[in-house]
Amino acid sequence: MKIIKTSFLLIAIALLTSCASGYKMIQPKSINYVSTNESDGVNLEYKYDLLRKKYKKKEVTKGVKLVAVKITNNSGKDLTFGRDAILTYEDGTEIYVLENEKVFKTLKQHPATYLFYLLLSPVNLYTSSTSNGRTEQTSSTPIGLVLGPGIAGGNMIAASSANKKFKDEMLEYNINGTVIKNGETTYGLIGIQTNSYDALRLEIE
């Protein structure tokens, strides 16, 4: 008995190229920061390259970088991030920090795109047998009716779950407008519109 391989090939290609990605929590408080800059008693530590898989690809295609920051304020006064403590590049150029909600919407996965797996629904599994030198089809099983909706649903659930974790963490570490009290350390996740990994600093007003 011979199994026709075309159906399996199509399914394998689809599975390998377009599966939903999970989301690995960043946890800014536990990061080993390697980049640092001090200005007027305020120490900024930061790290690029936080996302993985589909989220990382979105960073590249959308030109948005997610950055984890750790700010220690020993300036002698309370500071508000974005007003008294302005994020800039090394040359002093001010950086527009995106709203966390916009960053999430830009980098998130879109579960509805996995509905394309429903196109697998018509796929059949054929078997055949050879007798007296002649090959004849002996059966046809509509495996696509199970695989199509199953794979689509599984990927949509996985993408939605990953997006929820991503959104929750972005909300938890939203530092825009946050007051950083003197003597305290604050952690955050910010998004900036850039394709590079330029050095960052804080300008204290």
Side-chain angles (χ1 to χ4, degrees):
M1 182 178 291
K2 180 181 179 182
I3 299 177
I4 305 300
K5 298 180 180 179
T6 305
S7 298
F8 289 118
L9 180 61
L10 292 173
I11 294 170
I13 292 173
L15 288 174
L16 290 173
T17 57
S18 300
C19 288
S21 295
Y23 177 76
K24 183 178 180 181
M25 301 298 282
I26 297 168
Q27 300 178 322
K29 291 182 180 180
S30 63
I31 287 178
N32 180 27
Y33 294 90
V34 293
S35 298
T36 184
N37 194 301
E38 194 275 336
S39 178
D40 297 327
V42 181
N43 191 56
L44 169 68
E45 298 175 71
Y46 60 94
K47 190 177 191 310
Y48 288 102
D49 199 24
L50 305 170
L51 299 173
R52 300 290 178 266
K53 299 181 180 180
K54 286 189 177 294
Y55 294 103
K56 185 177 182 65
K57 290 180 180 178
K58 281 289 189 72
E59 274 191 309
V60 175
T61 59
K62 299 296 184 178
V64 172
K65 288 284 190 296
L66 189 66
V67 186
V69 296
K70 175 184 177 181
I71 302 174
T72 301
N73 180 15
N74 290 311
S75 66
K77 59 183 178 180
D78 295 348
L79 300 170
T80 299
F81 183 81
R83 188 187 69 187
D84 308 314
I86 308 295
L87 190 68
T88 72
Y89 292 115
E90 278 288 354
D91 63 2
T93 303
E94 185 174 342
I95 298 171
Y96 176 67
V97 178
L98 302 171
E99 292 293 331
N100 278 25
E101 180 65 22
K102 182 174 182 179
V103 177
F104 168 72
K105 289 181 177 179
T106 301
L107 301 181
K108 72 176 182 178
Q109 297 181 73
H110 295 280
T113 60
Y114 298 106
L115 288 172
F116 85 91
Y117 278 115
L118 294 177
L119 295 174
L120 294 175
S121 296
V123 173
N124 292 315
L125 175 64
Y126 299 99
T127 60
S128 61
S129 63
T130 302
S131 178
N132 297 324
R134 296 180 60 185
T135 300
E136 295 183 354
Q137 180 181 312
T138 58
S139 67
S140 174
T141 305
I143 60 172
L145 294 177
V146 175
L147 288 178
I151 297 173
N155 276 280
M156 291 177 72
I157 292 171
S160 296
S161 176
N163 281 340
K164 184 180 186 306
K165 291 179 181 179
F166 181 27
K167 186 173 185 178
D168 288 347
E169 191 165 41
M170 290 294 292
L171 181 63
E172 179 181 357
Y173 288 100
N174 184 4
I175 196 174
N176 292 320
T178 296
V179 176
I180 308 168
K181 294 185 178 298
N182 181 50
E184 293 187 354
T185 296
T186 298
Y187 299 84
L189 289 172
I190 61 173
I192 59 177
Q193 196 85 45
T194 182
N195 286 309
S196 64
Y197 295 89
D198 292 331
L200 308 177
R201 66 187 298 270
L202 281 176
E203 187 74 31
I204 308 303
E205 298 290 320

